[in-house]
Amino acid sequence: MDESSVPEHAVEDPLLIGGRQLRSRLILGTGGFANHELLAAACRVAGAELCTVALRRLDPAARGSILDVLDDVGVEVLPNTAGCYTARDAVTTARLAREAFSTDWIKLEVIGDDRTLMPDAVELLAAAEQLVDEGFTVLPYTTDDPVLARRLEDAGCAAVMPLGSPIGSGMGLCNPYNLSIIIERAGVPVILDAGVGTASDAALAMELGCDAVLCASAISRAHDPVSMAEAVALGVRAGRLALGAGRIPRRRYAQASTPQEGRPAFDVQGLAL
Amino acid sequence: MRIVVNGEPRMIEGGATVQSVIELLDVAPGARGVAVALDGEVVARSAWERTELREGASVEVVAAIQGG
């Protein structure tokens, strides 16, 4: 993409996913917050409209539902299939989520490796096809492979969610080139998922042209999660603004910002009268 | 009869339904964000009362947690 071209990306444009309008381009992952109070405060400060939730075996000793917390804040839930390693498990989990949360939206995760938590491309695509068939609005967590992103889009996914780097690693965007190719070709929103370590990573993702950023650990595991929520939200906004503003091209050498013309001369003799 | 609930063996009266398991786990009526799979198939909340369990059935009862 020519960096000097001015893209049409107004900061106030709503994000459209699966026919739904979102004003906030930061989706908050709820994993890792020490307690519900911190989660609620971070959610408010981030201005998020969508928050991920997961499903696990019911714990009869658990006190207070995360759903009540998110309701109080006024955010919608985006259930995920975190922890699934096969298409079959992911599809069943998505069906459970539809039942539990009365939503067709699913953040589809099918993990293929427990050290990197990288998606299993084969299982992911199979699950996506099945869930689209069943009427789900599928938002798949995917690698930064442009071909796979295209295949997921062709399968009918409502967005694609490439990783910047492994979940919880905080390594930022390891392959901005691949991400930019995904963004350039995508006909559905591209949401950077995983890898954000701090606000500047979120800004960079948005400057590249991502439509939104999903961020969990960078906020929830920060020393001060509420301040980091604000910082990442500002990063998302700053990146979006910068994208719309149109950055200058990179050059190999300097280009003076002050004109040479009209420069006074100090090294010549005056007229000898 | 013997069934398995969330991976734990349990005894439950014959003719028990999915709803019986929900009560066994002390889930508040109308609790939000709870869903059930019976032998790997999701059972809609509206069918909990009428869905009977067989001997050896595996019931997974899940709820919303922080994650992702």
Side-chain angles (χ1 to χ4, degrees):
Chain A
M1 190 162 49
D2 178 3
E3 288 179 332
S4 68
S5 68
V6 180
E8 294 164 12
H9 295 103
V11 72
E12 306 299 348
D13 283 355
L15 170 61
L16 274 172
I17 306 176
R20 184 148 140 202
Q21 280 200 7
L22 298 169
R23 280 171 295 104
S24 172
R25 291 177 180 270
L26 174 57
I27 301 172
L28 187 64
T30 60
F33 283 94
N35 55 58
H36 284 169
E37 289 70 30
L38 266 180
L39 166 61
C43 224
R44 286 201 175 90
V45 165
E49 287 169 89
L50 261 188
C51 280
T52 61
V53 291
L55 282 174
R56 286 294 178 269
R57 283 174 169 168
L58 184 135
D59 173 9
R63 274 172 300 164
S65 171
I66 183 178
L67 295 186
D68 295 331
V69 177
L70 297 179
D71 259 10
D72 279 351
V73 181
V75 297
E76 305 267 344
V77 299
L78 174 60
N80 67 27
T81 63
C84 291
Y85 279 74
T86 62
R88 189 165 170 271
D89 278 4
V91 167
T92 304
T93 304
R95 292 172 182 158
L96 282 168
R98 173 146 71 180
E99 187 60 27
F101 307 116
S102 307
T103 175
D104 289 332
W105 282 44
I106 191 75
K107 187 197 160 198
L108 178 62
E109 298 183 29
V110 190
I111 300 304
D113 174 63
D114 58 10
R115 286 194 77 195
T116 61
L117 299 180
M118 295 263 189
D120 183 319
V122 177
E123 295 290 314
L124 178 68
L125 187 58
E129 285 169 345
Q130 176 72 29
L131 291 171
V132 167
D133 269 359
E134 295 184 19
F136 283 88
T137 296
V138 182
L139 290 76
Y141 162 63
T142 180
T143 58
D144 58 17
D145 173 2
V147 178
L148 180 57
R150 170 54 65 89
R151 292 290 300 268
L152 289 163
E153 179 180 341
D154 289 347
C157 291
V160 289
M161 305 184 73
L163 53 79
S165 52
I167 292 171
S169 71
M171 285 197 288
L173 279 54
C174 283
N175 196 337
Y177 169 77
N178 270 28
L179 291 170
S180 71
I181 297 295
I182 291 175
I183 292 161
E184 205 174 299
R185 293 176 167 185
V188 293
V190 178
I191 303 169
L192 184 90
D193 187 4
V196 168
T198 186
S200 53
D201 295 332
L204 177 57
M206 296 303 289
E207 286 173 5
L208 276 178
C210 285
D211 295 282
V213 169
L214 189 150
C215 183
S217 303
I219 294 173
S220 67
R221 301 192 203 279
H223 177 66
D224 177 351
V226 179
S227 294
M228 187 57 90
E230 183 175 7
V232 173
L234 288 170
V236 167
R237 194 173 158 79
R240 179 75 181 173
L241 262 175
L243 177 69
R247 63 154 296 152
I248 60 166
R250 288 177 206 274
R251 311 174 171 272
R252 195 162 160 74
Y253 295 105
Q255 183 186 38
S257 54
T258 307
Q260 286 291 96
E261 293 83 14
R263 202 166 48 93
F266 304 115
D267 57 350
V268 291
Q269 300 279 317
L271 276 180
L273 293 175
Chain B
M1 61 183 176
R2 289 173 305 128
I3 60 168
V4 178
V5 177
N6 286 350
E8 300 284 332
R10 298 265 195 163
M11 289 300 290
I12 200 162
E13 72 278 14
T17 63
V18 168
Q19 181 62 35
S20 320
V21 174
I22 291 293
E23 284 158 18
L24 186 73
L25 292 180
D26 228 5
V27 179
R32 307 177 58 209
V34 176
V36 175
L38 171 59
D39 296 327
E41 298 294 328
V42 179
V43 181
R45 187 177 280 242
S46 57
W48 287 357
E49 292 269 11
R50 65 169 186 270
T51 304
E52 288 192 15
L53 309 179
R54 56 165 185 81
E55 170 81 25
S58 171
V59 186
E60 291 286 337
V61 183
V62 297
I65 62 153
Q66 289 176 221

